[in-house]
Amino acid sequence: MEHYLIAMAITAGLYALMALGTNIIWGMAGMVNLGVVGFVGVGAYVSALLTLKLGWPIAAGMAAGALAAASVGILVGLITVNLRGDYLAIVTLGFAESVRIVTSNEIWLANGTDGLSGIPGPWRADLGPHNFNLFYLGIVVAVVAVAFFVAERLCYSPFGRVLRAIRDDEQVASVAGKYVLAFKLKAFAIGTGALGLAGALYAHFTSYIAPDVFVPLLTLYIKLSLLAGGLGNNRGALLGAVAVVFFLESTRFIVPLIPWLTHVQGAALREILISVTLLIILRYHTKGLIPERLSHPALPAEPSPAHAIPSRTGAMT
Amino acid sequence: MTLLTVNGVERSFYGVRALAGVDLEVPAGRITGLIGPNGAGKTTLFNCITGVIPPDKGRIVFDGRDITGLRPDQITQTGLVRTFQIARGLPRLSVLENLLLYGTRQPGEKALTAAFNPGAARQREEELIARAVAVARRLNLMHVIRNPASDLSGGQKKLLEIGRALMTEPKLILLDEPVAGVNPTLAKEIGTHLRTLINDGITILLIEHHMDMVARLCDHVIVLAEGRHLAEGTFEDVASNEVVQLAYMGRRKVKVT
């Protein structure tokens, strides 16, 4: 059971990292990316292949996985530069599916649907299964902490301000003197880089990846984490990811308590429970559990109430 | 001195000629009014000048520099900024953030600086905040500076449009109907604000349909009709011009021979 809990904590951490990355693209810059799982897959495969086939050190493999995902992110960003909303969503969804299909079919490269096994984990043999999991949890927590710290800084920095402006009105941001395309691509690169890193962390934890790990359902769980937690808020992303993993897993234990359900019905009931929970959250917290907050840079001290102002415009309009 | 020269600018939308070769000059240090009936191409001309919509043909020179075909952000950085006809405050940003967004030369807009070296951005941010506060005070927006822009009244949104433009340290501001839908008292006040901007050395080109406002405020008036420059002069000149009156009131049926 302890083993299971640690593994779930790691999963929650990886979800949190993906939610943080997606939040930069979707929550801050307002671009709907339904290709989350594609970038996770790129990160996982690149890191796994480099460590397995070329014998790279694990850390270098992970860094390369994140960089590869970020580069692909820039490429997808460039291709979709004129697409917005639903159209961007469809193209990114297609991208994620192509990653899955390419890894399924290019057997020479990625071993097809059999997947890659024996992906090294840091000191896996020396630590033994239990200690390895604990150690890996430590790594994941550290990475999520750093990612959260960076994401918080970005969100309330001048850079994040431009992203949020682009989300609200691209043309205004452009007239404000900001090169919108460059900012969008940067947001895409940072976000997809985090997604790639999450994929690489996943690969070296489970030691096995296959195309059917990277299905669109995962993208939806990440979107769900953000919606429930609070889109545009990094704390919300963390909370939402943990809540979603908790729900996904806890329903596993609730369902068997209902005696007359078959396995298939049980699985369906889990999905229903999760959907109902999301609906309830969004009914009472339309902006998620922790809504986005306005940034209030510190203002200099007010001079005494201004008598100099001739008239009070605000009261009349 | 001429600050902005527009030369033979054309723009069509799917066969509709919105601009059919506009020529005009905007002198520095004055308020120039751009008037004309609805559909004359005034806003399209603004869009072409500011790079929001690239012109099909023609040349636009601002402050001695050819800005034709530049992106809107590049044009803003040359010192030419525009406001929008329907106030487009960024709703999920506070008034202060709306102002700061238009600030220039902020190193914290680079992602790496923002993430790993926020100290480098802080000094500039303080300067920009001081400027934003000065602008907000000037435009009587100080009491709402922390509110989200979506909570502003119609008139305050118009003021915020002007305030944001001022944040870019502009030489020329293009105002698209700065007092449309604003009550007469506030309209007068906006007029006074604009006058003080001229004293600060900023040039203004404005589109307006309130003729009393144009008469009171504009040193020089240019009339646009059917995508062309029709007439120009002082408001009195233009108002008494029969061609202009025809353009506004509709023309008698003229047989094409």
Side-chain angles (χ1 to χ4, degrees), chain B residues 21-203:
Chain B
V22 175
D23 298 293
L24 58 85
E25 291 190 344
V26 177
R30 295 209 277 180
I31 301 184
T32 304
L34 185 63
I35 65 169
N38 287 320
K42 303 181 296 294
T43 297
T44 304
L45 181 63
F46 266 27
N47 285 337
C48 284
I49 293 173
T50 53
V52 173
I53 295 171
D56 295 332
K57 255 189 206 161
R59 212 167 97 92
I60 298 153
V61 177
F62 170 66
D63 202 18
R65 185 177 163 193
D66 190 339
I67 58 164
T68 325
L70 293 186
R71 293 191 310 266
D73 53 292
Q74 294 170 318
I75 291 175
T76 298
Q77 283 166 13
T78 65
L80 192 170
V81 67
R82 60 92 55 87
T83 65
F84 292 97
Q85 183 175 359
I86 297 154
R88 284 159 79 169
L90 300 163
R92 286 176 286 186
L93 268 58
S94 67
V95 170
L96 178 58
E97 281 187 294
N98 264 277
L99 292 170
L100 292 175
L101 175 75
Y102 274 61
T104 53
R105 302 186 303 281
Q106 170 52 276
E109 282 171 7
K110 293 197 173 69
L112 286 177
T113 311
F116 303 112
N117 188 13
R122 201 164 295 136
Q123 194 200 342
R124 181 63 183 151
E125 190 75 351
E126 276 165 18
E127 289 166 19
L128 289 177
I129 289 175
R131 189 178 173 87
V133 166
V135 166
R137 211 163 261 148
R138 181 177 197 171
L139 297 174
N140 293 344
L141 287 171
M142 202 56 205
H143 56 297
V144 292
I145 197 162
R146 289 172 155 270
N147 298 8
S150 53
D151 290 0
L152 296 184
S153 70
Q156 288 169 335
K157 283 181 180 159
K158 288 281 183 188
L159 287 168
L160 180 59
E161 283 283 328
I162 298 172
R164 292 196 307 193
L166 290 177
M167 287 299 292
T168 63
E169 303 169 32
K171 293 183 197 122
L172 171 63
I173 306 183
L174 306 191
L175 295 166
D176 199 345
E177 300 198 31
V179 299
V182 170
N183 75 55
T185 322
L186 180 56
K188 225 171 235 165
E189 206 179 295
I190 290 178
T192 318
H193 287 310
L194 297 184
R195 211 9 100 185
T196 61
L197 295 183
I198 295 297
N199 298 336
D200 293 351
I202 297 173
T203 303

Side-chain angles (χ1 to χ4, degrees), chain A residues 258-278:
Chain A
I258 308 167
W260 58 87
L261 284 183
T262 64
H263 276 298
V264 180
Q265 287 171 321
L269 182 63
R270 279 181 68 196
E271 303 291 332
I272 293 172
L273 281 175
I274 291 161
S275 324
V276 167
T277 311
L278 178 70

Side-chain angles (χ1 to χ4, degrees), chain A residues 17-176:
Chain A
L17 183 56
M18 292 183 231
L20 285 172
T22 307
N23 188 42
I24 292 175
I25 301 171
W26 189 30
M28 295 186 207
M31 296 181 286
V32 186
N33 173 11
L34 280 189
V36 169
V37 76
F39 299 102
V40 176
V42 168
Y45 267 96
V46 166
S47 187
L49 286 170
L50 287 174
T51 47
L52 271 178
K53 299 208 169 171
L54 300 179
W56 282 33
I58 295 168
M62 287 184 180
L67 275 178
S71 317
V72 174
I74 292 176
L75 201 68
V76 172
L78 275 173
I79 294 169
T80 56
V81 61
N82 289 321
L83 302 180
R84 256 171 229 104
D86 300 346
Y87 301 96
L88 177 60
I90 288 167
V91 172
T92 49
L93 184 66
F95 158 76
E97 280 297 273
S98 4
V99 169
R100 196 170 64 83
I101 288 163
V102 166
T103 50
S104 305
N105 290 287
E106 298 302 314
I107 296 167
W108 61 273
L109 178 69
N111 205 25
T113 47
D114 289 345
L116 297 167
S117 53
I119 302 165
W123 298 290
R124 191 195 298 275
D126 303 336
L127 288 169
H130 180 73
N131 284 339
F132 173 75
N133 282 5
L134 262 184
F135 171 66
Y136 212 87
L137 177 61
I139 296 179
V140 169
V141 167
V143 169
V144 170
V146 171
F148 174 74
F149 178 72
V150 170
E152 274 289 281
R153 266 198 175 172
L154 285 180
C155 187
Y156 297 106
S157 71
F159 174 74
R161 181 163 68 216
V162 177
L163 292 191
R164 285 176 290 131
I166 290 172
R167 173 191 67 184
D168 279 2
D169 193 327
E170 214 170 282
Q171 219 171 58
V172 169
S174 181
V175 168

Side-chain angles (χ1 to χ4, degrees), chain A residues 180-207:
Chain A
V180 171
L181 174 62
F183 279 97
K184 280 181 157 184
L185 290 183
K186 281 182 193 171
F188 234 88
I190 298 167
T192 54
L195 293 174
L197 183 60
L201 282 166
Y202 174 83
H204 294 280
F205 172 60
T206 61
S207 81

